[in-house]
């Protein structure tokens, strides 16, 4: 079954394509506050150890531990690493569930689902760790079609498996949106991807603040506009932007083109050739941790982080230890305001509030090969698309009700771990369906949509992605001397891959400032401009290679 993001990259049918893909209030001390007291420490904990704390074991935290381990190998550093996470698992927003809670069945991604070849850290990790990639565009016997639904009618439907349907889709797109819309979009996305690749080169910019990084990469103006403003200024057909492009921003980030900034809008469109890890993407992050040899404390609440003297240790008080533990430095790899950590003693740089999109995910199995056609006003003899994306344009133009879901996608049959499709207790084949919505979808709604043929259902409500309006201001990477913030990068681009890049940058900065080291040792390239001008090898990935 084709993924929605793959089908959205329709321009690839016309032109060669690249792909990119494709989560506590600061105490302000006033006169009314009680005096701060340093935590009581064991006698042995009197000297600052060469120990680093990482708060968060998702893509950012797990890769930070891995990058530190790489530096330890290259420099011979004697550094301990502790990783804390409130969840009982490693992977953050990358986690899986199993239909019917039957471990003999193939798991389904609940959160972050895909990455692509130009996501060089994750792609390299799969190869290095001996994992198996699965093409996200897995074939099955369905008649794969995509529709963009405005809550009242389809703006366009495309797809199908025959040669005729492929050409008919191209004709539909050209007729409705013209040639320039898909061609210009592909040009803009390819340009963005090309710039992004600089982050893997030996001459990748190193940054201590996101504003300078965005400026150096030429993304400052793009991030300061909405997606609709940016595409309009590029002369792209407005219907294309508000229908096709918006379908991508709504399925990937739950936000409309007139609210999400243009850089993330471009990222939403760049997902050609998407893959996932067989058995779940979380395995990437488990391997990052395992290869780092860090100590891991899951199901752990970090209560306070204290720093009472400029040259003294950072003190982490958590539910994992009876006594607080001392650290030379701390990496926060979780959303600052959601971490609910009390910071004591240190004067921290201000971190703006970062709202998140509250998403309802509904996973289910159904023996209906497609949704109920009558729901979409197609009549009892019609057939609804199996990939349903949405636009807000019906509300804007006609005042109709907003679609009841952001996306509804069939993800292939329920399969066993042997790859074979399974049948339910009635002997019927079932498909896995994933629905993203702003509100909970009740059982009665599901019964109507799938004509009473619903088997397993799982619901999850969570803060899936940051709200990403146009901005020129970003959180600080360095919150205080010895305290670093990976998620500062999220308001610019929020993906699994960019979390690993942000973590690499933080680790390099930390090593330089705290240990007089770096992720990579200085080379002749750094000293000799003539040598430095030589191109990297084609498979060079900064951090993995030096």
């Amino acid at each position: 079954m084709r993924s929605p993001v793959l089908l959205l990259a329709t321009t690839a049918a016309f032109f060669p394509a690249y792909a990119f893909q494709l989560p506590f209030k600061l105490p302000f001390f006033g006169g009314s506050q009680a005096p701060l007291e340093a935590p009581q420490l064991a006698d042995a904990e009197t000297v600052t150890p060469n120990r680093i704390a990482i708060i968060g074991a998702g893509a950012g935290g797990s890769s930070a531990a891995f990058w530190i381990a790489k530096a330890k190998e290259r420099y011979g550093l004697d550094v301990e690493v502790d990783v804390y996470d409130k969840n009982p698992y490693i992977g953050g927003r990358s986690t899986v569930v199993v239909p019917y809670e039957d471990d003999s069945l193939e798991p389904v991604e609940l959160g972050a689902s895909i990455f692509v070849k130009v996501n060089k850290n994750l792609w390299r990790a799969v190869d290095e760790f001996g994992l198996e990639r699965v093409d996200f565009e897995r074939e099955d016997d369905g008649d794969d079609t995509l529709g963009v639904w405005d809550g009242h009618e389809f703006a366009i439907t495309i797809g199908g498996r025959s040669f005729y349907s492929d050409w008919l889709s191209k004709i539909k797109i050209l007729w409705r949106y013209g040639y320039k819309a898909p061609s210009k979009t592909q040009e803009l996305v390819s340009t963005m991807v090309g710039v992004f690749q600089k982050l893997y080169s030996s001459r990748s910019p190193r940054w201590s603040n996101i504003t300078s990084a965005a400026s150096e990469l030429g993304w400052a103006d793009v991030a300061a506009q909405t997606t609709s403003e940016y595409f309009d200024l590029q002369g792209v057909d407005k219907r294309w932007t508000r229908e096709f492009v918006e379908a991508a921003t709504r399925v990937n980030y739950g936000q409309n083109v007139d609210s999400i900034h243009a850089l993330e809008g471009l990222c939403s469109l760049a997902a050609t050739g998407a893959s996932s890890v067989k058995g779940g993407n979380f395995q990437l992050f488990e391997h990052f941790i395992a290869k780092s040899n860090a100590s891991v404390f899951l199901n752990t609440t970090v209560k306070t982080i204290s720093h009472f003297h400029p040259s003294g240790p950072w003190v982490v008080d958590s539910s994992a230890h009876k006594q607080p533990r001392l650290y030379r430095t701390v990496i926060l790899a979780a959303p600052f305001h959601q971490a609910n950590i009390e910071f004591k003693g240190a004067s921290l740089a201000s971190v703006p509030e970062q709202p998140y999109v509250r998403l309802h995910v509904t996973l289910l199995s159904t023996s209906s090969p497609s949704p109920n056609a009558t729901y979409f006003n197609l009549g009892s003899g019609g057939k609804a698309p199996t990939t349903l994306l949405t636009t807000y344009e019906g509300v804007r133009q006609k005042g109709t009700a907003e679609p009841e879901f952001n996306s509804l996608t069939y993800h292939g049959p329920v399969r066993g771990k042997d790859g074979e499709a399974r049948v339910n207790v009635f002997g019927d084949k079932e498909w896995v369906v994933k629905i993203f919505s702003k509100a909970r979808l009740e059982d009665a709604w599901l019964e109507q949509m799938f004509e009473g043929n619903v088997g397993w259902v799982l619901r999850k409500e969570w803060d899936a992605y940051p709200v990403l309006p146009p901005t020129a201001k970003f959180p600080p990477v360095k919150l205080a001397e010895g305290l670093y913030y990976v998620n500062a990068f999220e308001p610019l681009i929020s993906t699994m891959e960019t979390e690993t890049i942000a973590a690499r940058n933080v680790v390099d900065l930390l090593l330089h400032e705290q240990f007089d080291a770096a992720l990579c040792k200085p080379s002749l390239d750094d000293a000799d401009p003539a040598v430095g001008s030589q191109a990297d090898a084609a498979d060079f990935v900064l951090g993995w290679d030096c």
Side-chain angles (χ1 to χ4, degrees):
M1 186 66 64
R2 296 183 187 177
S3 75
V5 286
L6 291 174
L7 285 167
L8 277 168
T10 312
T11 52
F14 299 88
F15 314 98
Y18 296 96
F20 170 79
Q21 181 353 1
L22 4 289
F24 40 117
K25 290 273 189 181
L26 261 176
F28 292 94
F29 308 120
S32 61
Q33 186 176 15
L36 293 172
E37 295 182 0
Q40 297 299 309
L41 303 173
D43 291 340
E45 292 277 306
T46 56
V47 178
T48 302
N50 271 358
R51 185 188 298 146
I52 300 171
I54 300 174
I55 316 301
S62 63
S63 60
F66 180 76
W67 298 131
I68 293 169
K70 284 288 188 183
K72 288 168 65 176
E73 291 174 8
R74 292 161 182 157
Y75 276 86
L77 294 175
D78 182 17
V79 181
E80 297 177 49
V81 178
D82 290 345
V83 180
Y84 297 90
D85 201 287
K86 64 182 179 182
N87 293 309
Y89 60 86
I90 292 168
R93 283 173 276 181
S94 180
T95 185
V96 298
V97 294
V98 181
Y100 295 103
E101 299 182 357
D102 181 347
D103 289 336
S104 71
L105 298 179
E106 195 172 77
V108 181
E109 292 284 354
L110 180 61
S113 297
I114 60 172
F115 55 93
V116 294
K117 192 168 185 177
V118 295
N119 292 163
K120 291 187 176 182
N121 284 336
L122 297 184
W123 201 268
R124 178 75 169 264
V126 173
D127 296 335
E128 293 279 347
F129 301 153
L131 299 172
E132 181 182 346
R133 275 184 294 271
V134 178
D135 186 349
F136 202 71
E137 191 176 1
R138 176 159 57 192
E139 297 289 327
D140 72 354
D141 58 5
D143 181 20
D144 191 10
T145 54
L146 177 147
V148 179
W149 173 250
D150 71 4
H152 177 69
E153 62 184 357
F154 285 108
I156 191 170
T157 59
I158 60 172
R161 296 191 180 277
S162 70
F163 175 82
Y164 172 78
S165 64
D166 182 49
W167 275 100
L168 181 60
S169 294
K170 295 176 183 179
I171 293 169
K172 283 184 176 180
I173 290 169
L174 292 174
W175 183 264
R176 184 168 182 82
Y177 305 114
Y179 176 82
K180 183 177 180 179
S183 62
K184 184 63 176 180
T185 298
Q186 185 58 39
E187 176 190 327
L188 295 172
V189 172
S190 296
T191 298
M192 180 273 296
V193 171
V195 173
F196 186 81
Q197 296 305 288
K198 295 179 181 179
L199 295 171
Y200 301 108
S201 78
S202 59
R203 289 164 293 282
S204 170
R206 274 74 166 181
W207 60 87
S208 57
N209 67 79
I210 307 302
T211 302
S212 65
S215 178
E216 186 167 350
L217 292 166
W219 287 342
D221 289 343
V222 186
Q225 304 172 64
T226 67
T227 301
S228 57
E229 289 171 341
Y230 179 74
F231 275 77
D232 289 351
L233 288 171
Q234 297 295 325
V236 174
D237 181 87
K238 291 187 176 183
R239 285 189 301 180
W240 168 268
T241 303
R242 287 153 182 80
E243 292 175 1
F244 243 74
V245 177
E246 185 158 86
T249 62
R250 284 173 66 88
V251 66
N252 284 312
Y253 292 102
Q255 295 161 71
N256 297 329
V257 292
D258 52 9
S259 61
I260 192 171
H261 69 64
L263 181 59
E264 202 70 279
L266 290 169
C267 293
S268 296
L269 292 163
T272 306
S275 299
S276 60
V277 175
K278 184 180 176 70
N281 294 331
F282 71 91
Q283 296 170 94
L284 290 167
F285 311 120
E286 287 187 340
H287 276 79
F288 276 142
I289 292 288
K291 295 294 183 182
S292 75
N293 291 317
S295 299
V296 183
F297 304 96
L298 301 178
N299 268 323
T300 296
T301 300
V302 175
K303 305 169 188 176
T304 63
I305 298 177
S306 309
H307 194 233
F308 292 98
H309 191 277
S311 61
W314 286 88
V315 184
V316 175
D317 186 11
S318 76
S319 60
H321 307 288
K322 291 182 179 180
Q323 295 287 339
R325 279 171 71 82
L326 303 184
Y327 294 92
R328 185 163 175 177
T329 186
V330 176
I331 297 173
L332 180 59
F336 183 90
H337 294 284
Q338 292 185 341
N340 295 318
I341 298 172
E342 182 182 2
F343 288 88
K344 295 182 177 180
S347 177
L348 304 190
S350 177
V351 178
E353 287 279 356
Q354 174 60 68
Y356 278 72
V357 174
R358 193 70 176 171
L359 188 73
H360 291 257
V361 180
T362 306
L363 283 170
L364 60 92
S365 64
T366 178
S367 55
S368 293
S370 61
N372 188 347
T374 59
Y375 177 92
F376 300 98
N377 306 316
L378 296 177
S380 57
K383 185 175 182 181
T386 51
T387 297
L388 290 159
L389 306 181
T390 60
T391 171
Y392 195 74
E393 191 65 354
V395 181
R396 296 189 193 100
Q397 297 298 327
K398 296 174 285 189
T400 56
E402 183 176 2
E404 294 182 292
F405 56 89
N406 293 348
S407 63
L408 185 158
T409 55
Y410 276 61
H411 285 256
V414 175
R415 298 180 186 270
K417 289 186 175 177
D418 58 5
E420 296 297 318
R422 297 294 178 86
V423 297
N424 61 20
V425 294
F426 302 106
D428 298 323
K429 180 179 178 179
E430 287 193 316
W431 288 264
V432 174
V433 177
K434 182 185 289 187
I435 310 174
F436 293 161
S437 58
K438 292 182 178 180
R440 176 186 170 93
L441 299 176
E442 301 295 344
D443 290 346
W445 191 94
L446 299 177
E447 290 293 311
Q448 176 196 12
M449 179 62 73
F450 301 102
E451 301 181 85
N453 300 314
V454 177
W456 162 76
V457 178
L458 181 141
R459 293 178 174 89
K460 172 73 174 181
E461 180 184 354
W462 60 359
D463 292 334
Y465 356 82
V467 176
L468 297 166
T471 185
K473 296 182 179 179
F474 301 94
V477 174
K478 188 174 177 180
L479 302 180
E481 187 63 35
L483 178 61
Y484 301 86
Y485 186 38
V486 170
N487 288 58
F489 201 85
E490 265 202 317
L492 186 65
I493 303 178
S494 178
T495 65
M496 293 187 293
E497 179 70 12
T498 49
E499 284 296 287
T500 69
I501 293 172
R504 186 198 70 200
N505 179 74
V506 157
V507 167
D508 200 43
L509 184 64
L510 174 157
L511 291 169
H512 175 73
E513 295 184 345
Q514 304 297 323
F515 294 91
D516 194 26
L519 185 54
C520 291
K521 286 186 175 182
S523 66
L524 291 175
D525 290 17
D526 301 314
D528 187 344
V531 175
S533 64
Q534 297 178 11
D536 296 323
D539 59 352
F540 182 91
V541 182
L542 182 63
W544 295 91
D545 306 307
C546 289

